[in-house]
Amino acid sequence: MELNRNQIFAAGIFFLLLGIQFRFVEQFVLTPHFTRLVVELFSHPLAFADGATEALTNKPPNVGSKTIRPPEWIGYAFLSLGAVLFLQSLTMKKPG
């Protein structure tokens, strides 16, 4: 499948907005429910211990919330990618 001008333009805008968000946000705090989901999906050793605890006590284990601090450069990387895609879309022919 070949990407047309509109799809490249939309991807550029998406990455520009994502880059702006990463530049303004210092950290993300996950809820305990989502932290537990991430632990289970990536087969972290904590997931197996929590599963055993849950089986023995019949109540979900207390998994604290996780804080994610993205590196500073990732916002600039998304901004750069978005700018390149946006400018590339302006140089392409219109669809149709």
Side-chain angles (χ1 to χ4, degrees), residues 2-11 85-86 88-95:
E2 190 174 327
L3 296 175
N4 64 22
R5 178 182 179 178
N6 296 335
Q7 292 167 329
I8 301 281
F9 180 79
L85 288 174
F86 177 79
Q88 174 67 30
S89 73
L90 296 179
T91 63
M92 297 174 73
K93 291 182 180 179
K94 290 184 180 180

Side-chain angles (χ1 to χ4, degrees), residues 23-95:
R23 290 300 305 139
F24 282 122
V25 175
E26 186 175 318
Q27 66 184 6
F28 298 97
V29 180
L30 304 179
T31 63
H33 176 70
F34 191 73
T35 301
R36 183 172 178 199
L37 178 69
V38 170
V39 165
E40 289 174 359
L41 285 175
F42 291 110
S43 300
H44 193 274
L46 182 60
F48 300 116
D50 289 344
T53 304
E54 186 176 355
L56 293 173
T57 61
N58 287 333
K59 63 179 182 177
N62 185 10
V63 178
S65 59
K66 181 163 177 60
T67 302
I68 298 174
R69 290 184 180 88
E72 201 173 310
W73 57 265
I74 201 157
Y76 292 119
F78 283 134
L79 281 171
S80 301
L81 177 63
V84 168
L85 288 174
F86 177 79
L87 292 174
Q88 174 67 30
S89 73
L90 296 179
T91 63
M92 297 174 73
K93 291 182 180 179
K94 290 184 180 180

